[in-house]
Structures are given as structure tokens and as C-alpha cells.
């Protein structure tokens, strides 16, 4: 009975893994998050994609009009963290 139970657990784990329900270890803590983020002094937008697309983001700037900007895959520097209040994807490519 014990062997059957162990085999059943192994089979269940295999099924869950094939369905993507089992997670692996997280990427390193130093990895940049997707979307808008700040470091101590700089503001960035990280466009996380595997298709090479370029997207339009709106950049919210303190004491100035917001601007739209086209960014490609990966991390884009937006400016000083003291001046940039946020950035977000507007729903279209460029």
C-alpha cells in the first residue's frame, strides 16, 4: 500500500507540473520588475516581452505635462526619480 501511495503522489506531481501548476524557484532578487519602477535616484520602464514589440507609454512628470514615449523591449530610463511620478502602457504599439 505504501508503494502505491508514493507512486500516486509522484503521478499527481507529474500531472501538475505538466499543467504548469508547479512553480520553480524565483528569478534573482536583482531582476527588474515589469512596468514602471524606481531606484534610489532614477525612474525606469521595463517592457517585458519576448516578441520584440515596441509600445507607447505615458510618462507622468512632476510640474510638467505628461508625455507619451515609444519604448522597446527591456529597461528604458525615463529620468530622475524626483521628477518622474509614474509611467504606464497606453494600449498601443509604435
Amino acid at each position: 500500500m505504501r508503494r502505491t501511495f508514493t507512486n500516486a503522489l509522484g503521478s499527481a506531481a507529474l500531472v501538475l507540473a505538466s499543467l504548469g501548476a508547479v512553480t520553480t524557484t524565483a528569478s534573482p532578487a536583482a531582476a527588474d520588475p515589469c512596468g514602471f519602477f524606481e531606484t534610489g535616484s532614477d525612474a525606469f520602464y521595463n517592457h517585458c516581452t519576448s516578441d520584440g514589440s515596441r509600445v507607447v507609454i505615458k510618462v507622468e512628470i512632476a510640474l510638467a505635462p505628461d508625455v507619451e514615449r515609444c519604448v522597446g523591449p527591456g529597461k528604458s530610463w525615463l529620468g530622475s526619480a524626483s521628477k518622474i511620478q509614474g509611467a504606464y502602457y497606453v494600449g498601443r504599439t509604435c
Side-chain angles (χ1 to χ4, degrees):
M1 180 71 174
R2 181 178 201 108
R3 184 176 180 100
T4 303
F5 181 71
T6 303
N7 288 342
L9 284 177
S11 295
L14 182 60
V15 169
L16 289 174
S18 68
L19 294 174
V22 176
T23 58
T24 57
T25 56
S27 57
D32 297 323
C34 297
F36 176 76
F37 70 97
E38 295 178 338
T39 63
S41 58
D42 295 301
F44 297 91
Y45 187 88
N46 190 16
H47 175 42
C48 298
T49 183
S50 60
D51 66 5
S53 63
R54 298 176 60 79
V55 297
V56 178
I57 61 170
K58 180 163 273 193
V59 181
E60 300 171 331
I61 305 169
L63 304 174
D66 296 345
V67 297
E68 287 189 349
R69 185 166 162 193
C70 179
V71 297
K75 182 169 73 171
S76 297
W77 183 76
L78 301 178
S80 169
S82 64
K83 305 248 191 250
I84 305 299
Q85 296 178 318
Y88 58 91
Y89 171 58
V90 299
R92 65 183 193 272
T93 57
C94 50

